[in-house]
Amino acid sequence: MKYIFFCLLCIIVFGCTTAESEKKDTSGSTEEILESGEAFMNRPIHKVLTEEIIDTTSDENLVVVIYDNLIEKMPKDFSKYFETVSSWNKARRAIFLICILDAEVNNGGFNQFYFNFGTDYNPYLVEAYRTVQSSKIADLIEKTKKLYETEYDKITEQQDGTLDGFSKSYENNSLEDMDSEFYELTTEINVGKLMIDFIRKNKSEFIDK
């Protein structure tokens, strides 16, 4: 398995789920930060999601609750991820894939995302961002896929399955421009709030029947 980095849930939590992230004071004592981290690590994970759980979950934690529930549905075999995600309804796919892409790109750029996941998810990613009403990012995903496919040989030349080869593939990598565009758009567009609003309006799509 060539997969080197798995997305960091802390990036998902602090990067794309907080609707009021721009307004929050991120300062705090070490003790407060540790307590917050401990609370997160000990959070309840719901294998079965009900309407009551969604209704009683705060906006701040809502996307994490949904993401955790979806992770519980994933097979242990990474090679079967795509088959599983493809079988979900559009709403579940949207939240899951937006969190995955956000975490991967913020951790290692589109280069890391494509190294780990390839281009199979692209149609669903475009669908995901359009589903939560973020057409600008959907357009960027389409543009990035075309660039990756056009320059595939150059981008992947050093990727031999090792960490060193993967690191070398960042040299003169044209995907960096796409990373910059993504960071600018996600600063301009509050994707976390879009996801929260979408979940609230479509909660029946996330409930385990």
Side-chain angles (χ1 to χ4, degrees):
M1 182 67 66
K2 72 173 185 177
Y3 190 66
I4 288 183
F5 299 105
F6 190 71
C7 58
L8 305 178
L9 189 53
C10 62
I11 296 175
I12 291 171
V13 175
F14 298 111
C16 76
T17 66
T18 305
E20 299 299 321
S21 60
E22 295 89 346
K23 302 176 185 178
K24 285 192 172 182
D25 179 3
T26 56
S27 63
S29 66
T30 302
E31 183 178 356
E32 289 172 335
I33 294 171
L34 290 174
E35 287 177 356
S36 176
E38 184 177 355
F40 170 71
M41 294 303 295
N42 294 322
R43 72 195 184 284
I45 296 177
H46 305 284
K47 292 185 178 181
V48 176
L49 205 56
T50 66
E51 182 176 8
E52 181 182 7
I53 291 171
I54 292 176
D55 288 344
T56 57
T57 297
S58 67
D59 283 355
E60 182 177 0
N61 297 318
L62 184 60
V63 176
V64 178
V65 167
I66 298 296
Y67 180 83
D68 281 341
N69 174 258
L70 295 174
I71 282 291
E72 289 294 314
K73 295 173 170 55
M74 297 299 283
K76 292 182 179 180
D77 184 352
F78 179 74
S79 68
K80 296 180 179 179
Y81 267 36
F82 181 72
E83 179 183 350
T84 301
V85 174
S86 299
S87 71
W88 290 343
N89 62 38
K90 184 164 65 173
R92 283 177 169 170
R93 277 201 306 266
I95 299 305
F96 183 78
L97 289 176
I98 289 172
C99 285
I100 291 291
L101 182 75
D102 186 85
E104 290 282 321
V105 176
N106 277 292
N107 185 232
F110 278 103
N111 189 48
Q112 177 175 304
F113 175 79
Y114 285 124
F115 179 85
N116 288 333
F117 291 93
T119 58
D120 289 344
Y121 289 91
N122 272 80
Y124 288 140
L125 279 166
V126 172
E127 172 193 77
Y129 281 98
R130 295 202 190 285
T131 295
V132 300
Q133 305 301 309
S134 182
S135 59
K136 287 184 179 181
I137 299 180
D139 292 343
L140 174 62
I141 299 300
E142 290 184 318
K143 183 168 68 172
T144 304
K145 177 179 179 290
K146 290 177 181 177
L147 176 62
Y148 179 75
E149 291 175 340
T150 300
E151 301 197 15
Y152 177 82
D153 290 340
K154 178 183 176 182
I155 291 171
T156 62
E157 183 179 4
Q158 300 289 340
Q159 294 178 1
D160 56 4
T162 66
L163 181 59
D164 184 57
F166 175 68
S167 298
K168 288 179 180 177
S169 71
Y170 281 93
E171 297 173 6
N172 300 315
N173 192 314
S174 54
L175 289 175
E176 288 186 1
D177 290 338
M178 301 298 100
D179 295 342
S180 298
E181 285 192 44
F182 182 82
Y183 302 145
E184 289 176 9
L185 281 176
T186 51
T187 298
E188 169 192 332
I189 302 166
N190 192 330
V191 180
K193 185 176 187 308
L194 291 177
M195 287 194 290
I196 291 164
D197 291 344
F198 176 77
I199 294 168
R200 295 291 186 204
K201 293 174 183 177
N202 300 275
K203 61 183 177 183
S204 64
E205 299 296 317
F206 301 95
I207 293 170
D208 292 306
K209 305 290 194 294

